[in-house]
DNA sequence: CCGAATCCAGGATGATACTG
DNA sequence: CAGTATCATCCTGGATTCGG
């Protein structure tokens, strides 16, 4: 393996021209930054839920158990900023704000969905692996 | 939309039998828990790097710029526990520890790779969206 | 020398109360 | 309803230490 080709700095660019995924150090790229954003716990759930649907803030808040108002707001703002979700404000009383995926967000949704479905499909295997791990812990060392 | 079917509690199960991804509240499932783990910033990078390859600890540490020893150790332990990476210790001096993906990990790799490639392919669009967002901020409100 | 465990400071996150 | 402000808390990361 060539030294240096797998470097993965804060600002980097990656190329996937090879069978083995290669990380290439280049000037001013933001792959890591973007990946950190969309691979975020709450972002993934928001993207997964907003599939060809429009949801209001409170609806998302109720749907994603465990998220706080502040984090949901932050997450949605970031996704809006990155052009993944669209935010529509209705100047009514009481206020009404709707969120939906942009075309860019929809293209990302496919991948996120695949990740979620993988998780669903393999939860039993993972649970078994955990059991084996725990067993090994209490037995061996 | 039926109320309740999109609930997403800490312990939940999701079904994807419909075109619209549905989240269903069931007994003792761990989809959220697993998703939180693999959707973790460092986990994704580790999985992406360990494609059909074996890497040593220090090698991963160097490749993933910005990760600390402690977080890399923690991440690798969790992935090992979940049966996604395999850890091999060679009792030599100096010690040598190698990591590689398990078959389960390899199946996950495909999905993770897709996510990384999407990020790479769309980084320009996202950068443009950010510019538009900033512009809108400084202009309008 | 390599990898893991410990301790501490700083940043991220959650709960709550408040505003338009 | 949809956030914002504030404060307490938790987690992360870095330095150091330890063990092999």
């Amino acid at each position: 393996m060539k030294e240096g080709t797998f470097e993965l700095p804060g600002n980097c660019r990656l190329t996937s021209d090879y069978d083995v995924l290669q990380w290439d150090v280049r000037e001013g790229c933001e792959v890591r930054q973007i990946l950190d954003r969309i691979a975020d716990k709450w972002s993934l759930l928001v993207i997964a839920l907003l599939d060809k649907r429009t949801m209001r803030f409170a609806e998302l808040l109720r749907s994603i158990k465990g998220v706080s108002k502040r984090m949901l707001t932050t997450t949605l703002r970031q996704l809006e900023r990155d052009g993944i979700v669209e935010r529509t404000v209705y100047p009514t009383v009481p206020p009404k704000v709707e969120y939906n995926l942009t075309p860019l967000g929809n293209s990302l949704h496919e991948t996120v969905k695949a990740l979620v479905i993988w998780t669903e499909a393999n939860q039993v295997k993972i649970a078994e692996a955990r059991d084996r791990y725990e067993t090994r812990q209490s037995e061996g060392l």
Side-chain angles (χ1 to χ4, degrees), chain A residues 6-74:
Chain A
F6 294 97
E7 297 294 310
L8 197 56
N11 263 351
C12 71
R13 185 170 184 285
L14 63 90
T15 58
S16 47
D17 305 327
Y18 307 90
D19 186 31
V20 171
L21 203 61
Q22 299 237 346
W23 307 83
D24 188 3
V25 190
R26 302 274 180 85
E27 77 299 327
C29 299
E30 307 144 356
V31 170
R32 271 283 297 282
Q33 187 185 346
I34 296 170
L35 203 57
D36 289 354
R37 164 102 2 114
I38 63 177
D40 168 70
K41 173 176 170 174
W42 303 126
S43 297
L44 279 182
L45 295 173
V46 167
I47 294 165
L49 281 169
L50 286 182
D51 182 18
K52 299 175 183 61
R53 248 191 309 164
T54 289
M55 292 181 77
R56 298 184 58 175
F57 183 84
E59 195 178 358
L60 283 166
L61 193 66
R62 268 181 284 111
S63 300
I64 304 175
K65 289 287 175 62
V67 72
S68 63
K69 278 188 177 185
R70 200 169 68 79
M71 280 314 295
L72 183 57
T73 301
T74 303

Side-chain angles (χ1 to χ4, degrees), chain A residues 47 50-52 83-84 101-114:
Chain A
I47 294 165
L50 286 182
D51 182 18
K52 299 175 183 61
I84 291 171
L101 291 180
T102 63
L104 183 62
N106 269 314
S107 72
L108 175 56
H109 176 84
E110 295 308 309
T111 304
V112 170
K113 188 174 180 176

